[in-house]
Amino acid sequence: MITLKGNKLFHPFEMSFCGHSGSGKTTLITRLIERNSNKYQIGYMKHDAHKFEIDREGKDTHKAKMAGAKTIGINSPDRQAFQIQNPINQIINKQLFIDDDFIYIEGYKNSLGDKILVWTGTEEDQNLLSNYLNTNPHSLKAIVTRTSTGPNVDLPIFHIDDIESINKFVFEQWSPPPINGLILNGGRSKRMGREKGKIQYYGRTQIEYLFDTLSLKLNTVFCSIRPEQDIDVPCIKDRFSDFGPVGGILSAFLEFPNSAFLVLACDMPFINEEAISFLLNNRDPFKMATCFNNPEKKWDEPLFTIYEPKASIRFWQLMSLGVSCPRKLLYQSRVKSLQPLHENILLNINTPQEFNEIKDRFR
């Protein structure tokens, strides 16, 4: 099951701006978008209480709609649009915004999600404010007003022109999800001929070494294993057969859907505390993942990566298509890609020959 923390409508990082028509919601949101669009990819969702049309009579898409088509799409080399004439589907909505860093929502004033009230002082505003305070006070985060004063409430109040303060306040509401560690040890190690997590590079098994090293930086660490395996550290058993690392990562997200995971394969002996600290310190929780670019393979390395909670949605999408390679997620998503600290940091050992070639370095 895919879940997003709290009462999120579309995205883990979202904020609704509510108020009656003419209050200035659209102007405020566009100023916030202008303030942040150079650095972030921003989504925008507007709720229209009235019927709206995004088509024009005579256009091909309008003709198809009039003929009875219920789902209508149009695309060009740089954009695409869909009209879906069905009830709102929350699963689809959350998938549509998944690659945005965050979204601003205009309207949805009756939702349970986080919201800021754009206040004009009318009787309608007073009734709306009373409704929030009486039914769902925790969802109302602040008041924005056009005047020097606002309602007498125990909430932050900002002038609508104080864009910097409003922007800072909104970002403060978006706390990065906690990070758990996940050591991938569920592979069958057919090429190595023995379980790679039990190989010793530092005078103890690789599982023990990675668990202790991750535990220096993270409060919660697990080892991902097959159901028949037995390891003396906290484990999450793989619920999916023959889906490789994707199955192990998704099994972890099923246990902790609102946590990020620092995923680390057990066959990377050069990973150390310095590399883990560098990855954590450069994490971007707005992206799908934070990873290292593998200079040898010329792609982003999926098995030493921080995956954010929303990555579970993309993993489910890939699994539904029969794709079991986590690299496809990084390739098809917006990620933060880092340069490795040294050339061997992402080296993985898969065969006895490769092990013999590097084992002397650890003596």
Side-chain angles (χ1 to χ4, degrees), residues 263-305:
V263 172
L264 176 54
C266 66
D267 59 5
M268 292 182 169
F270 291 99
I271 300 296
N272 54 25
E273 183 181 351
E274 180 187 18
I276 293 169
S277 296
F278 187 79
L279 185 63
L280 290 169
N281 292 338
N282 287 278
R283 172 199 185 189
D284 186 344
F286 292 123
K287 299 296 187 292
M288 191 77 70
T290 303
C291 56
F292 285 101
N293 184 266
N294 192 319
E296 178 186 1
K297 298 176 180 177
K298 309 300 182 184
W299 64 51
D300 288 328
E301 175 55 59
L303 300 184
F304 182 33
T305 291

Side-chain angles (χ1 to χ4, degrees), residues 46-179:
K46 176 180 173 64
H47 177 255
D48 194 330
H50 312 285
K51 291 185 177 181
F52 66 90
E53 291 290 343
I54 61 173
D55 230 341
R56 292 206 309 270
E57 188 174 352
K59 293 296 184 180
D60 295 341
T61 49
H62 186 268
K63 293 176 182 178
K65 182 172 65 176
M66 292 298 100
K70 299 300 182 183
T71 303
I72 302 150
I74 183 172
N75 65 15
S76 66
D78 63 342
R79 67 188 64 191
Q80 59 184 330
F82 287 91
Q83 298 181 65
I84 304 173
Q85 297 183 46
N86 291 312
I88 295 174
N89 187 316
Q90 290 297 325
I91 295 176
I92 292 177
N93 285 340
K94 289 173 181 177
Q95 291 175 342
L96 289 175
F97 288 99
I98 191 174
D99 279 309
D100 291 309
D101 295 334
F102 53 85
I103 72 169
Y104 298 122
I105 302 172
E106 183 171 347
Y108 286 90
K109 60 178 179 286
N110 295 321
S111 75
L112 299 178
D114 293 345
K115 58 182 67 70
I116 292 175
L117 175 60
V118 183
W119 173 268
T120 59
T122 63
E123 183 177 352
E124 288 180 309
D125 284 348
Q126 294 170 4
N127 292 336
L128 187 59
L129 177 60
S130 296
N131 180 59
Y132 290 154
L133 297 178
N134 292 329
T135 61
N136 190 27
H138 298 295
S139 72
L140 184 59
K141 300 301 181 182
I143 306 288
V144 170
T145 177
R146 290 179 173 181
T147 64
S148 58
T149 60
N152 185 21
V153 292
D154 187 20
L155 287 168
I157 298 178
F158 303 96
H159 191 275
I160 198 168
D161 290 328
D162 190 1
I163 295 299
E164 291 302 318
S165 295
I166 297 171
N167 186 68
K168 182 174 181 292
F169 177 81
V170 171
F171 272 81
E172 289 172 348
Q173 309 310 302
W174 295 333
S175 300
I179 304 179

Side-chain angles (χ1 to χ4, degrees), residues 316-327:
W316 283 117
Q317 293 172 332
L318 292 173
M319 182 175 278
S320 70
L321 298 173
V323 177
S324 59
C325 175
R327 181 168 59 88

Side-chain angles (χ1 to χ4, degrees), residues 192-209:
M192 180 62 75
R194 55 173 169 157
E195 196 169 303
K196 288 187 282 188
K198 293 183 178 180
I199 295 176
Q200 294 190 13
Y201 295 97
Y202 299 93
R204 47 187 166 155
T205 68
Q206 184 69 349
I207 291 297
E208 293 171 332
Y209 166 74

